[in-house]
mmCIF file of all heavy atoms in Angstrom:
data_model
loop_
_atom_site.group_PDB
_atom_site.id
_atom_site.type_symbol
_atom_site.label_atom_id
_atom_site.label_comp_id
_atom_site.label_asym_id
_atom_site.label_seq_id
_atom_site.Cartn_x
_atom_site.Cartn_y
_atom_site.Cartn_z
ATOM 1 N N ILE A 66 7.002 1.195 -3.517
ATOM 2 C CA ILE A 66 6.411 -0.009 -2.881
ATOM 3 C C ILE A 66 7.151 -0.406 -1.686
ATOM 4 O O ILE A 66 8.415 -0.467 -1.715
ATOM 5 C CB ILE A 66 6.373 -1.148 -3.904
ATOM 6 C CG1 ILE A 66 5.451 -0.726 -5.086
ATOM 7 C CG2 ILE A 66 5.879 -2.474 -3.295
ATOM 8 C CD1 ILE A 66 5.458 -1.758 -6.164
ATOM 9 N N LEU A 68 7.200 -3.365 1.506
ATOM 10 C CA LEU A 68 6.766 -4.700 1.818
ATOM 11 C C LEU A 68 6.882 -4.934 3.359
ATOM 12 O O LEU A 68 7.845 -4.310 3.922
ATOM 13 C CB LEU A 68 7.566 -5.752 1.112
ATOM 14 C CG LEU A 68 7.877 -5.516 -0.356
ATOM 15 C CD1 LEU A 68 8.895 -6.580 -0.854
ATOM 16 C CD2 LEU A 68 6.618 -5.669 -1.201
ATOM 17 N N GLY A 95 -0.483 -7.478 -2.699
ATOM 18 C CA GLY A 95 0.610 -6.831 -3.449
ATOM 19 C C GLY A 95 2.043 -7.279 -3.217
ATOM 20 O O GLY A 95 2.910 -7.270 -4.043
ATOM 21 N N ALA A 96 2.186 -7.972 -2.019
ATOM 22 C CA ALA A 96 3.630 -8.351 -1.755
ATOM 23 C C ALA A 96 3.889 -9.809 -2.136
ATOM 24 O O ALA A 96 5.037 -10.347 -1.945
ATOM 25 C CB ALA A 96 3.901 -8.148 -0.264
ATOM 26 N N VAL A 97 2.871 -10.526 -2.552
ATOM 27 C CA VAL A 97 3.048 -11.956 -2.800
ATOM 28 C C VAL A 97 4.129 -12.210 -3.824
ATOM 29 O O VAL A 97 5.079 -13.086 -3.622
ATOM 30 C CB VAL A 97 1.695 -12.592 -3.216
ATOM 31 C CG1 VAL A 97 1.953 -14.120 -3.623
ATOM 32 C CG2 VAL A 97 0.661 -12.469 -2.191
ATOM 33 N N SER A 98 4.099 -11.429 -4.964
ATOM 34 C CA SER A 98 5.099 -11.768 -5.974
ATOM 35 C C SER A 98 6.501 -11.390 -5.535
ATOM 36 O O SER A 98 7.446 -11.962 -6.081
ATOM 37 C CB SER A 98 4.683 -11.011 -7.276
ATOM 38 O OG SER A 98 4.661 -9.672 -7.054
ATOM 39 N N TRP A 99 6.583 -10.520 -4.554
ATOM 40 C CA TRP A 99 7.923 -10.100 -4.025
ATOM 41 C C TRP A 99 8.433 -11.103 -3.016
ATOM 42 O O TRP A 99 9.608 -11.448 -2.996
ATOM 43 C CB TRP A 99 7.936 -8.730 -3.447
ATOM 44 C CG TRP A 99 7.627 -7.599 -4.366
ATOM 45 C CD1 TRP A 99 6.401 -7.031 -4.466
ATOM 46 C CD2 TRP A 99 8.498 -7.013 -5.295
ATOM 47 N NE1 TRP A 99 6.453 -5.990 -5.442
ATOM 48 C CE2 TRP A 99 7.775 -5.972 -5.854
ATOM 49 C CE3 TRP A 99 9.798 -7.203 -5.578
ATOM 50 C CZ2 TRP A 99 8.324 -5.129 -6.915
ATOM 51 C CZ3 TRP A 99 10.427 -6.413 -6.533
ATOM 52 C CH2 TRP A 99 9.582 -5.417 -7.238
ATOM 53 N N LEU A 100 7.557 -11.626 -2.158
ATOM 54 C CA LEU A 100 8.030 -12.411 -1.035
ATOM 55 C C LEU A 100 7.720 -13.910 -1.171
ATOM 56 O O LEU A 100 8.337 -14.664 -0.331
ATOM 57 C CB LEU A 100 7.320 -11.833 0.253
ATOM 58 C CG LEU A 100 7.691 -10.393 0.603
ATOM 59 C CD1 LEU A 100 6.981 -9.958 1.949
ATOM 60 C CD2 LEU A 100 9.277 -10.172 0.764
ATOM 61 N N TRP A 101 6.941 -14.320 -2.136
ATOM 62 C CA TRP A 101 6.708 -15.729 -2.243
ATOM 63 C C TRP A 101 7.977 -16.543 -2.351
ATOM 64 O O TRP A 101 8.054 -17.623 -1.657
ATOM 65 C CB TRP A 101 5.709 -15.999 -3.360
ATOM 66 C CG TRP A 101 5.342 -17.508 -3.398
ATOM 67 C CD1 TRP A 101 4.335 -18.091 -2.693
ATOM 68 C CD2 TRP A 101 6.072 -18.563 -4.035
ATOM 69 N NE1 TRP A 101 4.322 -19.368 -2.938
ATOM 70 C CE2 TRP A 101 5.389 -19.764 -3.724
ATOM 71 C CE3 TRP A 101 7.161 -18.583 -4.966
ATOM 72 C CZ2 TRP A 101 5.817 -20.979 -4.244
ATOM 73 C CZ3 TRP A 101 7.520 -19.858 -5.425
ATOM 74 C CH2 TRP A 101 6.824 -20.984 -5.120
ATOM 75 N N PRO A 102 8.935 -16.076 -3.110
ATOM 76 C CA PRO A 102 10.195 -16.864 -3.212
ATOM 77 C C PRO A 102 10.856 -17.171 -1.970
ATOM 78 O O PRO A 102 11.618 -18.140 -1.730
ATOM 79 C CB PRO A 102 11.133 -16.015 -4.071
ATOM 80 C CG PRO A 102 10.171 -15.168 -4.835
ATOM 81 C CD PRO A 102 9.003 -14.871 -4.012
ATOM 82 N N VAL A 455 11.128 -1.481 -1.765
ATOM 83 C CA VAL A 455 11.446 -1.973 -3.189
ATOM 84 C C VAL A 455 12.067 -0.678 -3.785
ATOM 85 O O VAL A 455 11.393 0.302 -4.134
ATOM 86 C CB VAL A 455 10.289 -2.392 -3.955
ATOM 87 C CG1 VAL A 455 10.683 -2.764 -5.405
ATOM 88 C CG2 VAL A 455 9.572 -3.573 -3.271
ATOM 89 N N GLY A 458 13.731 -1.676 -7.939
ATOM 90 C CA GLY A 458 13.617 -3.169 -8.206
ATOM 91 C C GLY A 458 14.387 -3.994 -7.265
ATOM 92 O O GLY A 458 14.362 -5.150 -7.254
ATOM 93 N N LEU A 460 15.314 -5.147 -3.275
ATOM 94 C CA LEU A 460 14.659 -5.195 -1.912
ATOM 95 C C LEU A 460 15.719 -4.726 -0.952
ATOM 96 O O LEU A 460 16.784 -5.328 -0.827
ATOM 97 C CB LEU A 460 14.185 -6.606 -1.592
ATOM 98 C CG LEU A 460 13.113 -7.197 -2.489
ATOM 99 C CD1 LEU A 460 12.503 -8.481 -1.820
ATOM 100 C CD2 LEU A 460 12.057 -6.194 -2.888
#
Side-chain angles (χ1 to χ4, degrees):
I66 296 174
L68 315 171
V97 175
S98 58
W99 295 101
L100 298 181
W101 186 85
V455 180
L460 302 193

